[in-house]
Each structure stands twice: as structure tokens, then as C-alpha cells.
Amino acid sequence: IHKSFHSFHPAPRKLCCQSSSGVRVPKWNDHDTPEEFNFASYVLDYWAQMEKEGKRGSEIALWWMNSQGEEVKWSFRELTELTRRTANVFTQACGLQQGDYLALILPRVPEWWLVTVGCIRTGIVFMPGTTQLTDKDIMYRLQESKAKAIVTTDTLAPKVDSVASECPALKTKLLVSDHSCEGWLDFRSLIRSASPNHTCVKSKTSDPMVIFFTSGTTGFPKMAKHSHGLALRSCLSSSRKVLQLKTSDVLWCMSDPGWILAVVGCLFEPWAAGSTLFIHHLPQIDPKVIVQMLFKYPITQFLAAPGIYRMILQQKFANLRFPTLEHCSTGGEALLPEEHEQWRQQTGLSLHELYGQSETGLTCGVSQGMSIKLGSMGKAISPFDIQIIDDKGNILPPNTEGNIGIRMKPTRPAGLFICYENNPEKTAEVECGDFYNTRDRAIMDAEGYLWFLGRDDDIINASGYRIGPSEVENALTEHPAVAESAVVGSPDPKRGEVVKAFIVLTQEFLSHDKDQLTKELQQHVKSVTAPYKYPRKVEFVPELPKTITGKIKRNDLRKKEFGGM
Ligand code: BCO
């Protein structure tokens, strides 16, 4: 399946929601809540049919490449056929059924799209995870979800095998590799032999579709469960106005496949519009390669975390005037106004901010053509009604600081998560009057523009990763040098914020070399939890600030880091 079937000639661009052949992009009105919705049958099969009838140009659905020069170009018809085969692999070879859970831990390989769409066709609930997950993280996810299947690569297969015996629900292990592995089904050969005929399930819009694990202030990550409404949301007219993608657009979304940004930006957004999704599978993010790609390929839209724009700007390239690029967007963490200004000066293009969470998908943003207010993350994307609320769910007046709330009563809007799976307490905690409380602090001006101010809890946002301090503290505690630790965010010019650990050492490690110990502890955290969580800053302290009841005052430490004390 790693073969190109057609040569690719980008069609001329038109500034309307019609393809070059006049085909209308499927759109639903903002407040449409169809009883049934399935992205695969309603959207992808529609584009495939248009192709078959010769009513579309020769646009490609997925244009994938890697640094070894391998390339894949799939049309919507090919995508449809391959995902129907995948659906048959799941239901026939693997015996999975609608409602079963499947863990999906793949890097940016084409099979990621086959698995996600194959799950949507069959009603299997997929759970994306970053390839940085450790064996413990994988075990937690498999146990917590009672996943019946996992799809991963040969790099991660040994980690899965090391914990599989403790995950009794896990019945099927699918390997995406050119090599076989004992105990694992060979995904690529199963696809080749599977039937291309499959009837998509008639999923209700409210049926579960995907689960994202998201970090909280305390405890282990929660399972934010979404319905098919998340996919429907990308088809609603207001969502279509955000990026204004056309069938002739080529969108490069750089999100790691483990995040909601990938499911929205690398799947629903481009394909709801019938656009081409461009993916370059880089083993390591390299700004030089990104810039080369933007010069070499006819990419019209670029969506990446602020950290990636920052990396590019810091390289001081002589020329950033990209020949085909028309629209840039960014989300995952706050973007500094000066970074926006630099990008605009060097590329001639504005940066359009987007904001969302694993629970909410794209929530507000700066749409194409909307006037930009520097530092603002734009306006609510309908049907989300966003208000700034107090801790009782009362709506606050313009220009007043409060929490970002999304109205969920009397009607829960399409795209807002269903609940935290198996966790009614945490689900209830984020319900605040008629609103879902994002617990992100912001102000909204009289025109409805939002300004992000920070979290109202201890969650750290480092380079767009949401990190719960207790996950890092728990990892540190496993090391014999650590008597106690407190983890907070600390400012950083490259990553916005980084994880900082304040550590009280055990008696026997007090005399150890501190630089050496820092490296050892960082390495330790990288090995016991997903490496992006490791503390990039470490400070050894004789004691931690505590309340009278013995609770660590993380707020004091955070204020110290941000110069507020
Ligand atoms: O920086 P170090 O070299 O010390 O460590 C890095 C990696 O080398 C290391 N690592 C990775 N895999 C490893 C490993 N170490 C051991 N074993 C492994 N298997 O761990 C550290 C990971 O840090 P990183 O991921 O930040 O790496 P990097 O290359 O600096 O990447 C920078 C960014 C900007 C590309 C990255 O931070 C990033 O992708 N950030 C964006 C995250 C994102 O997309 N968030 C959006 C979430 S969805 C959302 O917010 C909703 C919006 C609608």
C-alpha cells in the first residue's frame, strides 16, 4: 500500500467552497443535529463517489512522504477502498465489534489514517496515543479502557508485550511493520487480503467515536470521550469558515498523531473540505526540513504548534517567502505577539490562532479574513457559545477575567466531549452551572475576542503539551534520591513554559554532584513516563513551601518562577 497510484497535479485554486469541477463541499448548518452521522460514509464516500463520477479534479486526499524518499498519494477512492478493507480486518480477522475500544499508537505513517477511518466505519472507538508513551503509560491506558485491541509499530511492540499479561481485556495486537513479530497480527498483509466491500455502521451522532487521554492536576490522565459529533463539527458551516479550505488546498498539519489536534487537523478539517492533507513523517522535528518542504511542495495551508513557528524563526533563515503558502494557523499553547509580528514580517503571512482542549476540539479561533487583534485567540466557533464565567457559572461582563465556559445546557453542542469515561466525579467537577468549565483563564472583549491568561489550576502547558504535575512528581518519587518534589511551570523563551521540579533530596544523596544528579533524574523521568514530561529545569531545595495541613503550595513556587513574588 506504500505505492503511488496517480501522479499528482494540483488543481488551480478558487476562492469559494466549490471544487474546480463545481462540486459543493458537504456542509451542515451550525445547529443541525442529525440523528445519524458517520464521517466515513457521509463525507469520505461522498468525495470518492464524486471522483468516480468525474465530478472532482485529480486532487489527492493523502499525500504522505518520509525522509527516506518514500511517498504515498491516495485519492479519496483509494482511501475509501483501503479503509473498507481495514474495517473488514477489524471485524473479521480481529473479531472486533461496534463499541469496542482500540488503542492506536502509531507515528505519522499512512496506516494511522486507515486505522482511524476503519474504526469510524465499524463504530470501534479509537484511542490515539503519542509514540513517546512508556510501557507503564501503555499499561495504564489498556487497563483503564479495557481495550480489546492495539495497533502499533515494532519499536513499541516490546513495551506492549511487557505489560500485555496484566491487561486481560487485550485480545488483538496488530503490528504495522514490514517484519512479522510473534504474537502479533501483520496489519499490512491482512489489509492486502481483506475484502474491499464493507457496509459502514449507521452510527448515531451521539455514539462514542474517539477517546483522548488528558492530564489532570492530580491522579492519572482522564479519558475524554467524544462522539461522532466531533467529526460532524468540522462539517458545520461555522467550522468551515475557520480555515476556509477548498478542494484545491494542500494542508500540512504537523500535530503528533496522539493529540486531538491531529484527529481534527489531519483528518476531519481537510477531508470535510475535500482538500489534500500533506504529511511529512520526520523522525525528529527539524525546522530546516520544514522550510525546505514549504518551498518545494505546493502547500497552501500550514497548521503547527507555536513551538514549531518559534523554532523556524530562531533559525534566522534568509528567506521565508514561501511560493504557495497562503494561510498559517497555530494552536496548542499561547503565541506571543512578537512572534506573530516576526512571522508576518518574514513571510508576509499572518498567524491565525486557534484554541481548544482534548475535551472540546477547536473552540475559538481567528478565521481566515477576520481582523486580527494581536495576542487574541479569536472568537467562539459556533455552535459553541463561549462566555467568561465565574466559579458558579455566572456570565461575567466584557473585559473581566474569569474562566472560559462553553454552554452545554440546555443543549450540549456537537464537538463537546461526552464525559470522562468511568469518572462521573471528574465529569461533574467541570460542569459549572450551564457551562463546561475549561479552567483556562481568559478575558473576552465587547466584540467577543478572547485573550488567554493561563490555567486556574496546576496544569502545565509546555510546548503545547498538557502536563499534570503529579505525573512528574510520581515519576521523580520512584528515584531513591528524591525525598519530596513539587513540579510547576517555568517560563522559557523557546517552549513558552517548561516543567520545573523543586526537589528535596534524601539524606544519602545530599553530597552528590548536583549537575550529575540533575541529568540522572531527567533521564529517570524520561524512562518512566512519556519523555516530553521530563523536568527541563531542576532546583534542589532544603524544603518545600506547605500549607498548615501539609499541602504543597505549588502556587508560591509558580509565582516565584514567573517573577510574581
Ligand atoms: O529536548 P530533549 O532532546 O531533551 O528531549 C525531547 C526528546 O528528545 C525526548 N524523547 C522523545 N522521544 C523519546 C525521547 N527520549 C527518550 N525516548 C524516547 N522515545 O523527549 C523530549 C520530548 O520533547 P518534545 O516532544 O517537546 O520534543 P521536541 O523535538 O523539542 O519538539 C518540539 C515540538 C514543538 C515539536 C513539540 O514540543 C510539540 O510537538 N509540541 C506540540 C504539542 C501539541 O501538538 N499539542 C497540541 C495538543 S492538542 C490541543 O492543545 C488542542 C488544540 C485544539
Side-chain angles (χ1 to χ4, degrees):
I1 54 175
H2 274 207
K3 289 278 175 289
S4 160
F5 293 86
H6 294 298
S7 60
F8 178 63
H9 305 288
R13 287 190 297 276
K14 280 191 181 173
L15 285 170
C16 68
C17 62
Q18 290 187 327
S19 75
S20 43
S21 49
V23 177
R24 279 223 159 264
V25 176
K27 262 201 297 196
W28 280 257
N29 287 324
D30 287 352
H31 298 282
D32 279 351
T33 40
E35 176 72 10
E36 280 178 14
F37 181 80
N38 189 292
F39 190 79
S41 56
Y42 283 42
V43 180
L44 299 180
D45 293 355
Y46 168 85
W47 290 123
Q49 186 59 28
M50 291 296 109
E51 256 171 35
K52 201 170 163 193
E53 292 173 15
K55 293 183 182 157
R56 275 179 59 90
S58 58
E59 292 96 348
I60 292 295
L62 177 67
W63 188 2
W64 175 96
M65 63 190 68
N66 65 11
S67 18
Q68 286 86 53
E70 290 174 294
E71 195 173 31
V72 164
K73 286 174 182 169
W74 285 335
S75 66
F76 282 97
R77 280 168 83 183
E78 286 159 341
L79 185 73
T80 290
E81 187 197 309
L82 288 164
T83 54
R84 285 179 176 159
R85 286 175 185 268
T86 308
N88 286 325
V89 168
F90 290 156
T91 53
Q92 291 170 14
C94 307
L96 296 169
Q97 292 176 355
Q98 182 169 10
D100 286 343
Y101 289 179
L102 174 147
L104 167 60
I105 313 177
L106 286 179
R108 293 174 184 88
V109 289
E111 286 82 359
W112 186 86
W113 285 268
L114 301 187
V115 173
T116 50
V117 179
C119 283
I120 293 172
R121 285 193 185 283
T122 49
I124 295 164
V125 179
F126 62 103
M127 306 186 303
T130 168
T131 52
Q132 289 196 34
L133 295 178
T134 62
D135 43 2
K136 274 189 181 171
D137 298 323
I138 295 171
M139 182 171 79
Y140 169 73
R141 280 161 166 74
L142 294 174
Q143 288 179 342
E144 210 42 32
S145 63
K146 301 192 178 56
K148 288 202 177 147
I150 188 163
V151 186
T152 195
T153 58
D154 32 16
T155 317
L156 282 148
K159 291 188 185 177
V160 177
D161 282 336
S162 72
V163 299
S165 62
E166 292 172 72
C167 307
L170 185 68
K171 299 283 180 255
T172 306
K173 296 182 293 177
L174 280 155
L175 191 73
V176 175
S177 169
D178 291 330
H179 316 283
S180 59
C181 181
E182 212 191 311
W184 288 76
L185 296 174
D186 178 351
F187 184 76
R188 287 181 178 157
S189 60
L190 285 171
I191 294 280
R192 278 193 289 272
S193 55
S195 160
N197 303 317
H198 179 267
T199 308
C200 190
V201 292
K202 287 191 180 305
S203 48
K204 290 204 174 72
T205 308
S206 57
D207 283 346
M209 180 185 68
V210 56
I211 286 178
F212 301 99
F213 282 78
T214 178
S215 294
T217 314
T218 53
F220 292 102
K222 296 167 292 194
M223 295 165 64
K225 182 161 81 171
H226 278 270
S227 68
H228 290 266
L230 181 67
L232 171 69
R233 179 113 198 278
S234 286
C235 305
L236 302 180
S237 36
S238 287
S239 295
R240 302 265 28 92
K241 284 182 196 139
V242 178
L243 300 179
Q244 294 184 21
L245 285 160
K246 308 173 290 295
T247 51
S248 51
D249 270 311
V250 179
L251 167 74
W252 185 8
C253 172
M254 289 216 50
S255 176
D256 180 286
W259 315 122
I260 191 170
L261 193 56
V263 172
V264 173
C266 299
L267 176 55
F268 299 140
E269 282 294 315
W271 290 346
S275 310
T276 300
L277 172 69
F278 179 91
I279 296 290
H280 185 117
H281 175 32
L282 290 159
Q284 190 87 37
I285 299 288
D286 180 347
K288 290 194 193 73
V289 178
I290 298 171
V291 167
Q292 274 168 17
M293 295 288 128
L294 290 170
F295 273 110
K296 189 168 173 191
Y297 293 97
I299 296 155
T300 58
Q301 292 223 14
F302 186 55
L303 170 55
I308 291 177
Y309 289 99
R310 216 170 277 139
M311 279 175 165
I312 296 175
L313 289 169
Q314 283 166 0
Q315 291 282 318
K316 309 244 177 287
F317 291 101
N319 178 14
L320 289 179
R321 298 268 159 179
F322 304 112
T324 53
L325 195 62
E326 293 174 344
H327 188 78
C328 302
S329 8
T330 190
E333 55 157 329
L335 176 79
L336 298 176
E338 51 270 34
E339 289 162 355
H340 187 163
E341 209 38 64
Q342 274 182 44
W343 184 260
R344 190 149 58 186
Q345 276 170 15
Q346 294 189 38
T347 62
L349 298 166
S350 293
L351 266 177
H352 296 75
E353 271 201 69
L354 303 168
Y355 159 83
Q357 297 183 330
S358 299
E359 290 87 341
T360 66
L362 294 184
T363 304
C364 68
V366 181
S367 303
Q368 218 188 109
M370 184 171 141
S371 26
I372 295 175
K373 296 191 183 184
L374 271 190
S376 162
M377 51 192 196
K379 296 187 186 184
I381 304 167
S382 177
F384 280 8
D385 170 12
I386 297 186
Q387 301 291 341
I388 300 299
I389 55 168
D390 66 14
D391 54 11
K392 296 198 174 52
N394 298 309
I395 298 174
L396 297 171
N399 302 314
T400 313
E401 180 178 339
N403 283 350
I404 300 174
I406 301 172
R407 191 183 293 282
M408 49 175 240
K409 286 181 193 160
T411 312
R412 204 175 180 97
L416 186 61
F417 78 128
I418 306 170
C419 65
Y420 296 117
E421 182 79 331
N422 307 330
N423 207 333
E425 298 83 21
K426 294 277 181 198
T427 305
E429 262 175 35
V430 294
E431 288 179 10
C432 187
D434 291 347
F435 292 88
Y436 160 70
N437 184 357
T438 62
R439 303 201 65 182
D440 281 329
R441 306 285 291 169
I443 58 162
M444 183 157 73
D445 72 9
E447 289 181 89
Y449 281 79
L450 287 134
W451 272 264
F452 182 85
L453 299 171
R455 288 290 298 174
D456 88 334
D457 56 18
D458 292 329
I459 298 273
I460 302 160
N461 188 336
S463 293
Y465 295 116
R466 181 165 144 163
I467 300 167
S470 61
E471 294 170 60
V472 186
E473 288 161 7
N474 292 344
L476 283 166
T477 308
E478 287 180 31
H479 194 281
V482 179
E484 256 192 321
S485 70
V487 164
V488 295
S490 175
D492 179 79
K494 198 168 147 212
R495 294 170 184 271
E497 207 180 353
V498 291
V499 172
K500 175 160 181 181
F502 290 87
I503 293 172
V504 179
L505 289 173
T506 49
Q507 204 61 33
E508 68 221 81
F509 281 84
L510 281 175
S511 56
H512 282 224
D513 178 77
K514 298 294 178 291
D515 289 341
Q516 192 52 40
L517 205 49
T518 297
K519 288 195 188 92
E520 194 179 315
L521 288 166
Q522 289 174 326
Q523 207 43 49
H524 164 77
V525 176
K526 278 189 181 183
S527 68
V528 297
T529 187
Y532 66 82
K533 295 179 195 163
Y534 86 90
R536 287 174 192 271
K537 292 185 187 173
V538 173
E539 186 175 331
F540 297 102
V541 289
E543 58 183 4
L544 296 171
K546 289 188 181 158
T547 62
I548 196 131
T549 54
K551 202 169 170 252
I552 294 169
K553 288 155 97 178
R554 288 202 193 98
N555 209 19
D556 285 6
L557 295 168
R558 191 169 38 237
K559 279 187 189 154
K560 185 173 150 255
E561 290 305 300
F562 286 88
M565 271 180 100

